[in-house]
Amino acid sequence: VQLQASGGGLVQFGGSLRLSCAVAGNIFSIDDEAWYRQAPGKQRELVARVDAGGTATYADSVKGRFTISRDNAKKMVTLQMNSLQPEDTAVYYCNAEIKRHRFAARASYWGQGTLVTVSS
């Protein structure tokens, strides 16, 4: 099982980017999916999470600007980021709680990280 993230890049203050993360491999189910970020010199932090039913939660710093969504059929989670600010500059990681088989324990998987840079 692999998580393949894409969509990072350089954007100006106030701009938008869309991150995508696809789950590759045979699995039984995906529970929570989330995006985290880690800025230079800082700890990794949760940005947004969406559960299997589609209920989303956000960090206070991104509420009203970011939207997380998932496509269960495509095994994909996306993060639409609007009104980007320099403080949003970080490496963004997708995360998914996955059961590989019906009777397997749920495990946490991470994507490789994608860099988002917001210039002022």
Side-chain angles (χ1 to χ4, degrees), residues 75-116:
K75 297 186 295 182
M76 182 173 291
V77 61
T78 60
L79 185 69
Q80 177 66 42
M81 305 184 294
N82 299 327
S83 303
L84 282 162
Q85 305 165 359
E87 307 86 86
D88 297 316
T89 295
V91 177
Y92 284 71
Y93 299 88
C94 57
N95 172 264
E97 300 289 326
I98 293 173
K99 292 185 68 174
R100 296 189 66 181
H101 310 287
R102 180 177 180 182
F103 300 107
R106 187 174 57 195
S108 183
Y109 291 84
W110 292 88
Q112 79 278 17
T114 183
L115 177 63
V116 171

Side-chain angles (χ1 to χ4, degrees), residues 15-20 35 47-48 58 62 64-69 77-84:
S16 297
L17 279 176
R18 184 178 180 90
L19 305 182
S20 296
W35 287 94
V47 176
Y58 299 91
V62 307
R65 300 187 298 120
F66 291 10
T67 302
I68 188 171
S69 60
V77 61
T78 60
L79 185 69
Q80 177 66 42
M81 305 184 294
N82 299 327
S83 303
L84 282 162

